[in-house]
Amino acid sequence: MANIKSIPVTALDGSSLDLSSFDGPLLVVNVASKCGLTPQYGKLEELAKSYGPRGLTVVGMPCNQFMGQEPGSADEIATFCSTTYGVTFPLLEKADVNGDARHPLYEELTKASDADGESGDVQWNFEKFLVGSDGEVVARFRPRTEPDAPEVVSAIEAAL
């Protein structure tokens, strides 16, 4: 598996973003604004604020592959996230997380297994991948696992 932090990504505003510039672990999440799980944005922001000073960076990648639940433009997504949930963590450009046009970041992330030993396609919006400081995936959490669930917090603590 490639070092996740070495994969080129683009920020939501179109600028280049170097994931290796973040020294600590990353929590990479495919996000959507019109999903039943969208309130997880609030808990992701809480994680970013509480663990950010210790080195965690939450990174969101908007994706419109699941029932068209992220239809907005980059500006619309940025405005929704900041005004509705006060999101301050980095957001990447909207991209596919599954299929032939899957972003290279997710090409690597989806090789990681979850707690049941299953790897492969992202199941839905808000699937979470914890990437260690060294760029290796250390944990994968399925969409319905809340960002503040004990197993997520425990994995973050161990990665810090």
Side-chain angles (χ1 to χ4, degrees), residues 4-22 26 57-60 89-93:
I4 299 301
K5 290 186 172 188
S6 71
I7 298 169
V9 296
T10 302
L12 188 61
D13 67 5
S15 64
S16 180
L17 182 64
D18 182 2
L19 294 177
S20 68
S21 68
F22 302 112
L26 307 173
T57 302
V58 175
V59 178
F89 56 83
L91 294 171
L92 304 179
E93 68 181 346

Side-chain angles (χ1 to χ4, degrees), residues 10-15 31 33 41 60-64 70-83 87 91-95:
T10 302
L12 188 61
D13 67 5
S15 64
V31 294
S33 302
Y41 263 126
M61 178 176 271
C63 177
N64 196 39
E70 188 53 273
S73 68
D75 287 343
E76 290 168 335
I77 294 167
T79 299
F80 172 82
C81 289
S82 64
T83 60
V87 169
L91 294 171
L92 304 179
E93 68 181 346
K94 186 163 44 173

Side-chain angles (χ1 to χ4, degrees), residues 1-2 4 108-109 112-113 129-132 134-140:
M1 188 178 294
I4 299 301
E108 290 302 316
L109 288 172
S113 299
F129 295 86
L130 182 62
V131 177
D134 61 358
E136 299 296 318
V137 178
V138 295
R140 178 177 185 170

Side-chain angles (χ1 to χ4, degrees), residues 6-155:
S6 71
I7 298 169
V9 296
T10 302
L12 188 61
D13 67 5
S15 64
S16 180
L17 182 64
D18 182 2
L19 294 177
S20 68
S21 68
F22 302 112
D23 292 332
L26 307 173
L27 186 64
V28 182
V29 185
N30 61 300
V31 294
S33 302
K34 300 190 182 307
C35 173
L37 301 178
T38 299
Q40 287 191 23
Y41 263 126
K43 292 178 180 178
L44 291 169
E45 180 62 19
E46 288 173 20
L47 286 178
K49 285 187 172 161
S50 58
Y51 288 99
R54 293 178 52 195
L56 176 71
T57 302
V58 175
V59 178
M61 178 176 271
C63 177
N64 196 39
Q65 285 189 290
F66 302 100
M67 291 183 62
Q69 294 181 341
E70 188 53 273
S73 68
D75 287 343
E76 290 168 335
I77 294 167
T79 299
F80 172 82
C81 289
S82 64
T83 60
T84 309
Y85 292 102
V87 169
T88 59
F89 56 83
L91 294 171
L92 304 179
E93 68 181 346
K94 186 163 44 173
D96 287 353
V97 299
N98 290 333
D100 292 340
R102 183 188 329 243
H103 190 283
L105 178 63
Y106 274 83
E107 192 64 44
E108 290 302 316
L109 288 172
T110 55
K111 292 177 183 176
S113 299
D114 62 14
D116 295 327
E118 293 182 32
S119 60
D121 283 352
V122 169
Q123 292 178 344
W124 198 254
N125 303 308
F126 293 90
E127 190 145 332
K128 298 148 209 70
F129 295 86
L130 182 62
V131 177
S133 301
D134 61 358
E136 299 296 318
V137 178
V138 295
R140 178 177 185 170
F141 303 98
R142 296 299 181 170
R144 294 205 178 276
T145 302
E146 292 287 333
D148 60 352
E151 60 269 34
V152 177
V153 172
S154 170

